[in-house]
Amino acid sequence: TGSRLVFYNLDKLKEGDAVILKDRSGTPYEYRVSEVFVVEPEADWVVDPVRGRDMVTLQTCTFPDLLNRLIVRADRA
């Protein structure tokens, strides 16, 4: 989606929740939330690949101050 609000409710996800992503052809890929945490903006390591894990890392700014980043990691189901 092109919406600026695509991750507006990211803070509602919790461990075990499903995350479904679709590619351009509409093929769905299911992931399960495994980690939710907050880091400072300089924490570039959060987007590095993790050996042995097929996962996605989703991120947005923390509310209401937007000072840190909320990280949600989900592993392929």
Side-chain angles (χ1 to χ4, degrees):
T1 179
S3 171
R4 64 181 175 81
L5 301 175
V6 67
F7 287 158
Y8 185 76
N9 289 318
L10 195 63
D11 63 330
K12 306 283 189 278
L13 289 175
K14 59 187 181 308
E15 192 172 323
D17 284 347
V19 174
I20 310 292
L21 303 176
K22 293 181 182 180
D23 63 19
R24 286 183 171 225
S25 65
T27 304
Y29 299 90
E30 184 172 344
Y31 296 81
R32 291 282 170 183
V33 174
S34 55
E35 301 172 67
V36 179
F37 55 96
V38 174
V39 296
E40 294 180 347
E42 304 81 33
D44 295 334
W45 59 268
V46 298
V47 294
D48 290 343
V50 177
R51 186 177 304 182
R53 289 176 73 181
D54 182 0
M55 68 175 199
V56 294
T57 301
L58 310 174
Q59 63 179 317
T60 192
C61 294
T62 56
F63 292 107
D65 55 22
L66 308 177
L67 295 178
N68 292 306
R69 292 188 291 159
L70 172 67
I71 307 298
V72 174
R73 285 183 170 173
D75 291 280
R76 186 92 177 263

